[in-house]
């Protein structure tokens, strides 16, 4: 009877995860048994094939109604589909980035390990997207985190890489402990780890002491997850790790890891603290009454990220602080609630824009850094004359990161900015901080463009671009401009396929 019950579930809903898991296993076996002289770079195409197949299988599932397996241990809903598409798209670009990575030392002898560790991290992020249960959320988070710790330290003979890996493990362990502590309170008060059941229990709470404990749990989980997304003042690990890790790993941390961080924030907060029902605990009232803390963190993150970036001379450290500032912009959307379910549209679009512009920028940085052996801002000098193609692409990405009209970055920031006026009362201080932070960011972003177009050539070496990197640059440039000029293409697709995300919370 039990066996028939297991067979009764629609396991086809997990096909994208099964494909990624199978590909990772095949890559690990091939890397183990193939001769040492075999070029592991070719494994990138197998990894990319697995990602494409997973994406195609996910597209075939778009028409499915919400699927629940083992009491929401795995939940395929509109939220999961939307963010998995984003994760798989970003992962495909990063694999192409890694295929074109030619370091002076680093991933040469460990390139095969990179691909299957990267896929296991991706699998963890995908599991988080489909989790309607605290246990699977945590398992997915740890699968992502543990793989990330190893990826950061892959340059085994590099002191900065070793230091970065150690700092990442320590900070990651602290954030995991704080998050788990908050989750334990949630479980202790509600008696369940299922988000739907927890939500119903919380909505019916009348005991003031229990409400106090739920508030404490909220802040513990929020602080723990703030480490994961590198929100100030829990951001100190990010610059050192960006500087020490290989460039494809940095692109992974800045994009896939950040998407996963906001996935778990949205899953937990909106499932538990933004429920439509409940007159006593008032989950919606709870977020409205306490969003000052999220708003303060968002404002602080924007200010610190943009101001400290002004002093950076290392490109990776500069983009680390840029990433911190962008985490602040996304937290503004969470703080203002974005007009209810519209919040998810806003966050999804901004993350899509961030995938395009950030991976594209790292593609250029990786190429220049690999050929020059330096990561200083000066390697951009004279790029406009030496390689107009790279210069134009890099300019598009920088303009998008800065939020200049005509790019996806501008539309993403505009959506969040308008969200600050939708809620009552309006978050006018946050809107002002967003404007001020954006203006400050012009200084260091346009400083990079000054290097590209108005400084003498740094090196006379001919820049050779591999096909994988060329594909990344072309896709990112087209996407950054297309969705900046015609953002409705992406937004209409999301609305047509996923509606208003009304099923992302387990049924009450």
């Amino acid at each position: 009877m039990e066996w028939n019950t297991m067979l009764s579930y629609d396991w086809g809903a997990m096909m994208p995860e099964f494909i990624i898991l199978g590909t990772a296993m095949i890559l690990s076996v091939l890397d183990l048994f193939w001769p040492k002289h075999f070029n592991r770079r070719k494994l990138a195409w197998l990894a990319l094939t697995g990602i494409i197949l997973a994406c195609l299988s996910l597209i075939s599932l778009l028409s499915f109604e919400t699927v629940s397996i083992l009491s929401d241990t795995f939940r395929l809903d509109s939220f999961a589909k939307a963010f998995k598409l984003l994760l798989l798209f970003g992962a495909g670009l990063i694999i192409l980035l890694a295929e074109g990575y030619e370091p002076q030392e680093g991933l040469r002898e460990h390139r095969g390990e990179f691909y299957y560790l990267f896929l296991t991290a991706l699998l963890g992020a995908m599991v988080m997207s489909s989790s309607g249960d605290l246990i699977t959320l945590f398992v997915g988070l740890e699968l992502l985190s543990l793989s990330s710790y190893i990826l950061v330290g892959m340059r085994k003979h590099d002191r900065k890489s070793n230091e970065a890996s150690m700092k990442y493990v320590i900070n990651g362990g602290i954030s995991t402990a704080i998050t788990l502590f908050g989750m334990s309170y949630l479980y202790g008060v509600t008696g369940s780890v299922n988000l739907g059941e927890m939500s119903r229990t919380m909505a019916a709470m009348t005991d003031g002491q229990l409400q106090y404990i739920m508030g404490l749990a909220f802040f513990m989980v929020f602080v723990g997850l703030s480490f994961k997304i590198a929100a100030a003042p829990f951001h100190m690990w990010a610059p050192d790790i960006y500087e020490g890790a290989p460039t494809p790993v940095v692109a992974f941390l800045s994009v896939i890891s950040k998407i996963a961080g906001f996935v778990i924030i949205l899953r937990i907060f909106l499932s538990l603290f933004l429920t439509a029902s409940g007159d006593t605990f008032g989950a919606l009232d709870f977020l409205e009454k306490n969003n000052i803390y999220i708003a303060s963190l968002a404002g602080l993150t924007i200010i610190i990220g943009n101001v400290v970036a002004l002093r950076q001379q290392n490109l990776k450290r500069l983009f680390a602080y840029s990433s911190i500032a962008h985490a602040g912009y996304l937290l503004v959307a969470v703080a203002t609630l974005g007009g209810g379910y519209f919040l998810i549209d806003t966050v999804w679009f901004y993350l899509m824009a961030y995938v395009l512009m950030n991976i594209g920028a790292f593609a250029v940085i990786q190429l220049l850094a690999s050929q020059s052996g330096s990561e200083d801002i000066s390697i951009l000098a004279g790029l406009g004359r030496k390689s107009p193609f790279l210069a134009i692409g890099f300019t598009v990405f920088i303009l998008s990161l800065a939020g200049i009209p005509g790019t996806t970055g501008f539309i993403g920031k505009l959506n969040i900015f308008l969200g600050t006026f939708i809620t009552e009362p309006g978050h006018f201080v946050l809107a002002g901080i967003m404007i001020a932070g954006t203006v400050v960011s012009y200084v260091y972003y346009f400083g990079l463009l000054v290097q590209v177009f108005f400084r003498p050539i740094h090196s006379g070496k001919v820049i050779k671009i591999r096909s994988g990197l060329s594909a990344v640059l072309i896709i990112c440039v087209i996407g950054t401009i297309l969705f900046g000029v015609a953002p409705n293409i992406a937004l209409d697709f999301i609305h047509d396929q996923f509606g208003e995300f009304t099923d992302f919370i387990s049924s009450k």
Side-chain angles (χ1 to χ4, degrees):
M1 185 66 179
E2 183 179 353
W3 178 253
N4 292 332
T5 302
M6 291 296 292
L7 288 179
S8 67
Y9 292 113
D10 188 359
W11 296 101
M14 294 186 68
M15 186 56 65
E17 284 78 8
F18 289 146
I19 292 174
I20 295 297
L21 176 61
T23 305
M25 294 174 64
I26 292 171
L27 287 171
S28 64
V29 172
L30 290 177
D31 182 53
L32 179 63
F33 289 103
W34 268 346
K36 289 185 177 181
H37 61 79
F38 182 83
N39 187 359
R40 261 62 176 176
R41 187 193 299 273
K42 297 178 181 178
L43 294 177
W45 302 111
L46 180 58
L48 182 61
T49 301
I51 291 173
I52 292 174
L53 290 175
C55 192
L56 292 175
S57 68
L58 179 60
I59 292 173
S60 71
L61 296 172
L62 292 182
S63 59
F64 278 41
E65 297 295 329
T66 299
V67 177
S68 176
I69 297 177
L70 296 174
S71 300
D72 278 352
T73 298
F74 181 91
R75 180 179 176 83
L76 185 68
D77 52 20
S78 60
F79 179 93
K81 295 172 190 174
F83 281 93
K84 282 183 192 176
L85 279 176
L86 208 55
L87 288 166
L88 289 169
F89 176 65
L93 293 177
I94 293 172
I95 286 292
L96 290 174
L97 203 65
E99 191 277 336
Y101 187 51
E102 296 179 328
Q104 297 181 347
E105 65 87 21
L107 284 185
R108 287 183 184 275
E109 66 272 29
H110 308 298
R111 189 182 294 270
E113 296 175 19
F114 169 85
Y115 297 123
Y116 58 79
L117 285 170
F118 173 79
L119 289 181
T120 55
L122 173 63
L123 178 62
M126 293 174 67
V127 168
M128 289 165 60
S129 300
S130 279
S131 295
D133 184 284
L134 282 184
I135 292 177
T136 45
L137 267 175
F138 185 74
V139 169
L141 178 63
E142 284 307 285
L143 182 58
L144 169 67
S145 299
L146 292 174
S147 301
S148 301
Y149 301 153
I150 303 172
L151 288 171
V152 168
M154 290 195 73
R155 296 198 295 186
K156 299 180 180 180
H157 306 294
D158 184 86
R159 183 182 61 82
K160 288 184 178 180
S161 183
N162 293 333
E163 178 186 349
S165 183
M166 178 61 69
K167 288 181 177 179
Y168 199 21
V169 169
I170 294 172
N171 282 278
I174 293 172
S175 66
T176 297
I178 296 173
T179 303
L180 195 57
F181 192 51
M183 287 181 176
S184 69
Y185 275 158
L186 291 172
Y187 169 70
V189 172
T190 62
S192 174
V193 292
N194 181 276
L195 293 179
E197 294 178 9
M198 294 170 73
S199 177
R200 290 190 290 273
T201 303
M202 290 169 60
M205 278 184 185
T206 56
D207 190 322
Q209 293 298 318
L210 291 180
Q211 293 180 20
Y212 175 79
I213 293 175
M214 296 308 297
L216 182 61
F218 167 82
F219 290 115
M220 295 293 287
V221 172
F222 182 60
V223 168
L225 295 178
S226 295
F227 275 96
K228 298 294 183 184
I229 62 173
F234 314 108
H235 67 286
M236 297 305 294
W237 57 270
D240 290 338
I241 289 167
Y242 275 52
E243 184 178 6
T247 307
V249 177
V250 176
F252 156 75
L253 292 175
S254 69
V255 173
I256 303 298
S257 185
K258 192 174 295 293
I259 293 174
F262 278 96
V263 161
I264 193 172
I265 285 176
L266 293 175
R267 271 289 186 193
I268 292 179
F269 288 0
L270 302 189
S271 292
L272 301 183
F273 300 100
L274 187 63
T275 52
S277 60
D279 301 321
T280 50
F281 178 71
L284 179 58
D285 289 338
F286 179 87
L287 275 186
E288 287 180 342
K289 291 174 181 176
N290 294 278
N291 66 7
I292 183 63
Y293 301 105
I294 304 176
S296 298
L297 198 71
L300 185 65
T301 303
I302 292 172
I303 293 170
I304 290 179
N306 284 312
V307 171
V308 181
L310 296 172
R311 302 286 297 173
Q312 304 306 311
Q313 293 300 310
N314 181 285
L315 278 172
K316 284 185 180 178
R317 292 186 72 88
L318 187 149
F319 273 84
Y321 284 105
S322 167
S323 176
I324 292 166
H326 285 280
Y329 299 137
L330 285 162
L331 281 176
V332 170
V334 178
T336 58
L337 303 180
Y341 292 111
F342 180 66
L343 159 67
I344 304 180
D345 294 12
T346 302
V347 172
W348 189 93
F349 187 90
Y350 196 93
L351 286 170
M352 181 199 68
Y354 192 69
V355 166
L356 291 168
M357 56 195 182
N358 222 46
I359 292 180
F362 274 116
V364 177
I365 293 171
Q366 172 182 297
L367 185 61
L368 297 177
S370 295
Q371 296 193 7
S372 65
S374 171
E375 294 172 351
D376 192 83
I377 289 177
S378 61
I379 64 175
L380 295 170
L383 184 63
R385 279 167 287 181
K386 188 166 57 174
S387 177
F389 170 69
L390 284 180
I392 292 173
F394 190 71
T395 300
V396 170
F397 305 137
I398 292 299
L399 293 179
S400 184
L401 286 164
I404 299 300
T407 63
T408 52
F410 169 75
I411 301 297
K413 283 185 180 178
L414 181 63
N415 288 338
I416 294 175
F417 181 76
L418 293 177
T420 61
F421 298 98
I422 292 176
T423 52
E424 292 293 339
H427 293 260
F428 303 114
V429 174
L430 268 184
I433 291 175
M434 275 194 71
I435 294 174
T438 300
V439 171
V440 171
S441 72
Y442 290 166
V443 177
Y444 60 85
Y445 282 138
F446 292 158
L448 299 179
L449 298 184
V450 168
Q451 292 285 336
V452 170
F453 294 105
F454 301 105
R455 293 290 182 267
I457 296 177
H458 175 265
S459 171
K461 290 183 180 179
V462 177
I463 299 177
K464 298 179 181 179
I465 308 176
R466 293 184 62 87
S467 57
L469 273 177
S470 296
V472 170
L473 290 169
I474 292 171
I475 292 171
C476 290
V477 167
I478 292 175
T480 300
I481 296 175
L482 176 64
F483 297 125
V485 175
N488 286 338
I489 295 176
L491 292 174
D492 290 346
F493 170 77
I494 289 301
H495 290 149
D496 290 344
Q497 294 296 331
F498 312 122
E500 297 296 328
F501 295 97
T502 53
D503 65 342
F504 79 98
I505 299 175
S506 301
S507 59
K508 306 295 182 290

